[in-house]
């Protein structure tokens, strides 16, 4: 997939290994693994088939966004970066056609 980042700082934290270690400490290895999975997946549907990533669509105030697991409590959040967002006839997001995403950040939302 094509990746973009919400901020330049976030891009550095998620693409430079030394910055990643500084920002995420002992979670850096898992963050790096998730970033590699995001880059190598053709679309969001492929990413959702990776059991360890536990990719899932969010609801509530984060509706339209997705998350992958970093740890038990921490998630890497992203959203489709398409205008307009590809939709199915039932108006749900067409995950197969989402090939460009924007990384929003990491969060402990539990």
């Amino acid at each position: 997939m094509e990746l973009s980042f919400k901020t330049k700082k976030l891009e550095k934290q998620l693409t430079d290994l030394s910055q990643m270690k500084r920002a995420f400490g002992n979670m850096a290895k898992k963050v790096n693994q998730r970033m590699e999975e995001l880059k190598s997946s053709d679309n969001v549907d492929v990413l959702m088939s990776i059991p360890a990533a536990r990719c899932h669509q969010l609801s509530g105030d984060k509706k339209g966004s997705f998350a992958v697991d970093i740890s038990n409590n921490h998630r890497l959040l992203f959203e489709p970066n398409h205008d307009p967002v590809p939709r199915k006839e039932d108006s749900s997001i067409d995950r197969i056609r989402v090939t460009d995403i924007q990384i929003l950040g990491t969060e402990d939302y539990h």
Side-chain angles (χ1 to χ4, degrees):
M1 276 190 285
E2 290 292 319
L3 306 180
S4 60
F5 300 85
K6 189 170 182 176
T7 66
K8 289 288 185 191
K9 179 182 178 183
L10 181 62
E11 181 175 8
K12 283 186 177 186
Q13 288 177 339
L14 295 174
T15 57
D16 180 284
L17 283 176
S18 65
Q19 292 287 325
M20 192 179 293
K21 287 176 184 172
R22 191 172 302 133
F24 299 103
N26 61 358
M27 291 190 307
K29 185 176 180 181
K30 190 63 75 173
V31 171
N32 189 48
Q33 180 181 346
R34 294 294 172 255
M35 290 301 297
E36 291 301 319
E37 291 166 352
L38 287 170
K39 287 188 272 187
S40 64
S41 296
D42 292 333
N43 55 53
V44 172
D45 204 50
V46 170
L47 186 62
M48 292 187 96
S49 71
I50 302 170
R54 213 179 76 72
C55 182
H56 53 284
Q57 195 165 351
L58 303 175
S59 58
D61 64 337
K62 296 181 184 347
K63 186 176 181 174
S65 299
F66 294 81
V68 293
D69 285 4
I70 297 172
S71 70
N72 288 340
N73 293 339
H74 290 83
R75 309 290 183 264
L76 179 66
L77 281 66
F78 63 92
E79 65 185 6
N81 194 20
H82 294 268
D83 188 20
V85 172
R87 301 236 176 233
K88 295 180 182 178
E89 285 186 23
D90 66 0
S91 78
S92 63
I93 295 174
D94 189 350
R95 299 181 316 227
I96 292 174
R97 292 180 28 218
V98 175
T99 57
D100 192 352
I101 62 172
Q102 181 178 48
I103 310 272
L104 303 174
T106 60
E107 222 175 281
D108 178 354
Y109 57 77
H110 288 98

